[in-house]
Amino acid sequence: MDRVALRGLKARGHHGVFPKEREEGQTFIVDLVLGLDTRSAAADDDLAKTVHYGIVAQEVAAVVEGEPANLIETLAERIAQTCLKHEGVQEVEVCVHKPDAPITVPFDDVTVTITRSRV
């Protein structure tokens, strides 16, 4: 399976279990790896035969900016399901970064990574 990756997609959302997170929001960063067969698209040099990563990026940003969730696990699942709606996408790996998580000790990042497929 071929891979199309989007790394470092940033959007502001209001996800989290604490009231301050819901009220003020924060930036979330999303990395995606989409699994699909790109041979036909490459052979014909045809965007319609692959996944349009610009559209995927817009849709993922809309999910992050949309309905709040308590958990970034829930957010990752919503993103995965959005990506799998694209006909050619057979699987997706989603990594949601929450670099401003409300943790009281020094840290660089918090992530949740999931993999989902059609089968």
Side-chain angles (χ1 to χ4, degrees):
M1 192 166 307
D2 304 320
R3 303 275 182 243
V4 173
L6 288 91
R7 306 245 188 243
L9 192 152
K10 294 179 184 153
R12 189 160 182 84
H14 295 265
H15 312 287
V17 295
F18 298 113
K20 183 177 179 182
E21 294 178 291
R22 292 296 185 104
E23 293 164 11
E24 295 178 11
Q26 59 192 291
T27 298
F28 293 84
I29 302 166
V30 179
D31 299 325
L32 302 172
V33 180
L34 308 171
L36 64 155
D37 185 342
T38 64
R39 287 177 286 197
S40 179
D44 295 339
D45 199 26
D46 186 352
L47 176 60
K49 294 183 177 182
T50 188
V51 64
H52 191 309
Y53 50 80
I55 291 173
V56 171
Q58 290 174 342
E59 292 172 351
V60 169
V63 171
V64 174
E65 294 165 352
E67 182 69 28
N70 288 331
L71 305 176
I72 58 175
E73 292 86 343
T74 304
L75 180 58
E77 184 67 34
R78 290 176 183 171
I79 292 168
Q81 295 309 314
T82 297
C83 294
L84 288 171
K85 289 179 183 177
H86 290 267
E87 185 177 332
V89 176
Q90 297 301 305
E91 70 179 28
V92 61
E93 180 182 281
V94 177
C95 180
V96 176
H97 301 256
K98 189 174 179 181
D100 298 321
I103 297 175
T104 60
V105 297
F107 74 102
D108 289 329
D109 199 4
V110 171
T111 66
V112 169
T113 302
I114 65 170
T115 302
R116 299 292 182 265
S117 66
R118 292 184 180 276
V119 289

